[in-house]
Amino acid sequence: MKKVAADSRSTEQKKTDKYYYASQWSLMLRKFRKHKLAMASTYLLLFFYLVAIFGNFIAPQGTEQYDGSYVNCPPTSVHWFHQGKLVGPFVYGITTTRNQETFMLEFVEDTEQVYRIRFFTGGAPEGAYKLFGLIPSNRHLFEAEGDGRIFLFGTDSMGRDLFSRVVLGAQISLFIPIVGMLLTLVLGLIMGSLAGYVGGWVDTVIQRLVEVVRSFPQVPLWMALSAAIPKTLKPAQVFMLMTLILSLISWPDLSRVVRSKFISVKKDDYIMAARISGAPPVKIITRHMIPSFTSYIIVNMTMAIPGLIIGETTLSFLGLGLRSPATSWGVLLQETNKLETIMFYGWRLIPMLFVFLTVLAFNFMGDGLRDAADPYK
């Protein structure tokens, strides 16, 4: 009994020591894992980014593939049983009829035609792509056999598969904010560290520049800068310019956070000791000052990403960003700006759901990181 009690106390002592000697990042991770909503949001975002990375493989069609016979076709249903027998995942054939009241074409299932869904199959030659931009491939996650058609989210006004466009559009709508966030981080750290560490007239000039940038209304400024993008540029060039535009507008908030942190820590004992020992300013900033509030920078940038996502979506929705056949969630929403689309083709608003979920997930994850980084919680 004494040995069991001693082993129990030893285990508890190890847990106590592990907690009190844990690093700042370990404590943050432990607190973050207790935030169930933030963890669920993190898993959702990881899923979205994995889908975007492997988008060319997951999407059954490319951005330029279309079929005029299936214009504004509603989402197709996936079935498992046909005439009471288990067939596996399949779709019925699609035929068109004319509605005698509205005179609109309607798509109905032809239950005499059964097309099974095949997985990991090679698609049509026009569906070829390069995985990660390097590996040539013609294989997709799923497709209907033969002449069957499967449109999980329906089609658009040109007969293009909306599910494929949503998946491929995520590559733009999810990664422009990440690249923009990195550029914003660099600009914010440089300007904020100069203002906080050097001070004096340098701080005054940078703060006046911040106030000038912040004084412009955000959306009109986006529109003005985006309107300067030539329409003849390739999608990759438009991608980089949009990223640069979003970064140039987003850095002031981070720079002020960095400046305030620098002012608060530059008179601490360990910073004064580094100065007295003759350490160069660059080393003091990068080795001592910035690491002291890295967690706050991460939280700030996580909370800024939703704004960048909305910015890209807004620009594309206004027709000032990417243009078809290049696609993003904003481009897809821009194609639904007519009342008749909302009334008769409601499935084309599906991209709005993904914008909503992504922004909401980033906000919840940012709340979890903020609580985890707060030493008083």
Side-chain angles (χ1 to χ4, degrees):
M1 293 293 294
K2 293 182 178 180
K3 184 177 180 181
V4 173
D7 291 341
S8 177
R9 286 195 297 269
S10 177
T11 303
E12 292 179 359
Q13 184 64 36
K14 288 180 180 180
K15 290 182 179 180
T16 304
D17 292 343
K18 186 177 180 180
Y19 176 80
Y20 284 107
Y21 289 101
S23 64
Q24 178 187 6
W25 295 107
S26 299
L27 294 175
M28 280 184 59
L29 182 61
R30 186 176 300 177
K31 293 171 66 176
F32 182 75
R33 286 176 174 173
K34 295 180 181 179
H35 199 299
K36 296 182 179 179
L37 194 56
M39 287 298 298
S41 300
T42 302
Y43 289 134
L44 179 63
L45 290 173
L46 286 175
F47 173 73
F48 281 173
Y49 275 95
L50 285 175
V51 170
I53 291 172
F54 295 96
N56 295 99
F57 166 70
I58 294 173
Q61 295 184 10
T63 56
E64 299 183 8
Q65 288 182 260
Y66 67 94
D67 191 335
S69 302
Y70 298 95
V71 172
N72 290 322
C73 177
T76 53
S77 301
V78 178
H79 304 274
W80 290 81
F81 294 90
H82 176 64
Q83 296 180 351
K85 296 181 180 179
L86 177 63
V87 178
F90 70 92
V91 293
Y92 288 117
I94 301 174
T95 60
T96 58
T97 60
R98 179 74 64 178
N99 189 308
Q100 298 302 317
E101 295 182 359
T102 62
F103 298 103
M104 295 179 62
L105 280 178
E106 294 183 348
F107 296 87
V108 295
E109 292 182 336
D110 183 357
T111 56
E112 299 298 325
Q113 300 177 358
V114 176
Y115 300 100
R116 293 187 180 183
I117 298 175
R118 303 298 185 186
F119 295 92
F120 306 104
T121 60
E126 59 269 20
Y129 61 90
K130 287 187 177 181
L131 188 63
F132 309 123
L134 300 172
I135 307 172
S137 178
N138 193 33
R139 195 164 295 277
H140 295 272
L141 178 61
F142 65 92
E143 65 177 3
E145 63 181 3
D147 296 328
R149 294 290 185 271
I150 176 170
F151 305 120
L152 295 180
F153 292 167
T155 63
D156 61 11
S157 58
M158 293 182 63
R160 294 173 294 191
D161 179 34
L162 189 57
F163 173 79
S164 299
R165 300 193 72 200
V166 168
V167 170
L168 296 175
Q171 297 176 336
I172 299 294
S173 295
L174 292 181
F175 285 101
I176 275 186
I178 295 297
V179 178
M181 179 266 292
L182 295 176
L183 293 178
T184 300
L185 178 63
V186 173
L187 288 173
L189 285 177
I190 292 175
M191 303 300 282
S193 60
L194 286 175
Y197 187 83
V198 178
W201 66 270
V202 175
D203 183 23
T204 301
V205 170
I206 292 176
Q207 293 312 303
R208 298 296 81 76
L209 178 61
V210 168
E211 291 170 0
V212 169
V213 175
R214 288 174 57 87
S215 65
F216 288 102
Q218 196 172 54
V219 174
L221 183 58
W222 281 340
M223 295 173 63
L225 293 175
S226 299
I229 299 177
K231 295 183 179 180
T232 56
L233 293 181
K234 297 179 179 179
Q237 295 172 323
V238 176
F239 175 93
M240 295 307 300
L241 287 175
M242 286 183 63
T243 303
L244 183 61
I245 289 171
L246 294 174
S247 303
L248 289 175
I249 299 173
S250 304
W251 67 267
D253 292 334
L254 178 62
S255 70
R256 285 199 162 177
V257 173
V258 174
R259 173 182 176 271
S260 63
K261 293 296 182 181
F262 266 60
I263 292 175
S264 65
V265 303
K266 71 178 183 179
K267 293 184 179 180
D268 288 349
D269 293 341
Y270 69 98
I271 300 297
M272 299 300 295
R275 285 182 173 180
I276 294 172
S277 64
V282 175
K283 185 176 182 180
I284 294 176
I285 292 173
T286 57
R287 296 286 298 274
H288 300 288
M289 301 185 77
I290 292 179
S292 67
F293 55 90
T294 304
S295 58
Y296 293 95
I297 295 175
I298 293 175
V299 172
N300 185 277
M301 296 313 301
T302 304
M303 300 294 286
I305 289 178
L308 296 175
I309 292 177
I310 294 175
E312 184 279 326
T313 304
T314 302
L315 290 177
S316 298
F317 177 77
L318 294 173
L320 299 172
L322 293 170
R323 300 174 182 89
S324 187
T327 186
S328 70
W329 291 345
V331 172
L332 296 179
L333 291 176
Q334 193 272 337
E335 296 173 355
T336 64
N337 59 2
K338 296 181 180 179
L339 182 60
E340 64 181 43
T341 300
I342 300 175
M343 292 178 60
F344 302 110
Y345 316 119
W347 60 87
R348 292 179 58 185
L349 294 176
I350 290 177
M352 184 184 299
L353 174 64
F354 290 93
V355 175
F356 173 77
L357 288 176
T358 303
V359 172
L360 201 63
F362 267 113
N363 281 320
F364 285 143
M365 188 177 73
D367 287 340
L369 286 173
R370 181 179 58 196
D371 294 343
D374 190 345
Y376 300 103
K377 286 190 176 182

